[in-house]
Amino acid sequence: MMKKICVVGLGYIGLPTAAMFSKSGYEVVGVDINEKAVNLLNKGEIHIEEVGLEGLVKRVVEEGRLRASSTPQNADVFIIAVPTPNYPDHTANLEYVKTATENILPFLKEGNIVIVESTIPPRTINDFVAPIITREGWKVGEEIYLAHCPERVLPGRILIELVENTRIVGGINELSAIKAAEVYGAFVTGDIIKTSAITAEMSKLMENTYRDVNIALANELAKISDKLGINALEVISLANRHPRVNLHQPGPGVGGHCLAVDPYFIIEKAPDESPLIINARRINNSMPEFVVEHVGKIVDKGAKIAVFGLTYKGNIDDVRESPALDIVTLLQEKGYKLSIYEPHAKQEQVTLPLSTFDEAIDQANLILVLTDHNEFKGLDEVKIYSKMINPIIFDTKNCVKINSESIKYYNFGNLYTMSKKKNALI
Ligand code: SAJ
């Protein structure tokens, strides 16, 4: 008999996962509280953007292997892929995980496998999810198998990485890990590694924390170099010629729903033991202020600044936790006139009015690059020179190539040369 999977949460992870399982032969029901997502999916359409997903979903829905519902149904496997946002104090908000787990309880049968894919603080499977199922009278690990299988896919490559990436499957006991690993064997061609739930939780969080801490080191290097008159970018490229060194890139801060969020899930569980992780967050969070302070060194109060890029990284439309938003707020508070050129995000995603390239640079005193979109790599220098007053570019992502000597160019390699006197507006 064809096995049935119920995927709770049809977001960036749940929907592609549901589609991949249907493609590989499972009967899949996708569950979401968002009526719009449910209705669209039942018509074979999708509410999110991801390369290749539209065609795949259309096909599996037409073939009757994937459908959506607002409530769970009986199944062999339940996959929970709901968001775990954080509270203002940065601790994890597990309300969606709790509700999703409680909602599947009436449909559980002996032998079912429950898999949590959502990113969760260490020990959440053991201390939070398992007790919800145990309270219902089940012996977790014997009658109901429970596992945490974090995802690590990159938007834009989700359908490829879901198949090819190594998958960590952390069971609450060994049998749960074995059962959950069999499930992913349906389409994963990468290695499927079995471990405990706690180890899986921690390894997912450490992947993103590793990156956050390394970016903080690069940002700290940028600050030190600014003080001592050193080109930080040159130092990075030279140090990286060492075969075992990989310094990351400094920038305006760290954004996104992963790196800027996940380290706090470790901190909340062991704050006294996490001084390095706490400081890395602090350093990365300080970067917007650092950028604005340097803007103040090159242009006067009241100057017009053309902000280039609001998204948290290049060539995507996602502004979640983006440091550019903090920088814009700080610049507004300081009384600068702002225009914003953001070729990827849509107007409805941001509260600030977006401008075209021409409008943004018109009569501007400074172009402040906050995201490395491809559009910014080669700018129309003739236009910049004709529309701007003493054109200056401050490129916090080191992505713009400038040929003209008439355009003053700053990045994190020459911050120490900044001075208003040298760049007087008149
Ligand atoms: N950044 C820097 N300097 C760098 C690298 C990145 O300032 O040298 C900044 C970016 O500009 C951005 C932020 O860091 O603001 C995060 O960007 P990212 O590309 O490092 O990561 P995400 O958040 O888009 O995706 C990460 C990935 N994790 C790792 O690379 C370890 C992805 O594989 C995960 O699936 C994802 O988190 C997640 O969902 O956890």
Side-chain angles (χ1 to χ4, degrees), residues 6-65:
C6 182
V7 178
V8 185
L10 294 174
Y12 278 95
I13 301 305
L15 184 53
T17 302
M20 287 308 296
F21 275 114
S22 354
K23 186 184 168 198
S24 60
Y26 277 91
E27 180 192 344
V28 182
V29 179
V31 180
D32 206 292
I33 47 169
N34 176 353
E35 292 263 338
K36 194 179 147 205
V38 169
N39 293 337
L40 277 177
L41 187 61
N42 283 328
K43 284 192 266 172
E45 293 165 28
I46 58 175
H47 66 294
I48 56 170
E49 245 178 72
E50 178 57 35
V51 180
L53 188 60
E54 207 176 348
L56 173 62
V57 165
K58 191 171 183 296
R59 206 181 89 205
V60 286
V61 171
E62 273 171 10
E63 289 169 3
R65 280 185 279 150

Side-chain angles (χ1 to χ4, degrees), residues 248-267:
H248 287 39
Q249 295 301 316
V254 167
H257 55 299
C258 303
L259 269 64
V261 175
D262 293 359
Y264 292 115
F265 289 5
I266 299 175
I267 295 168

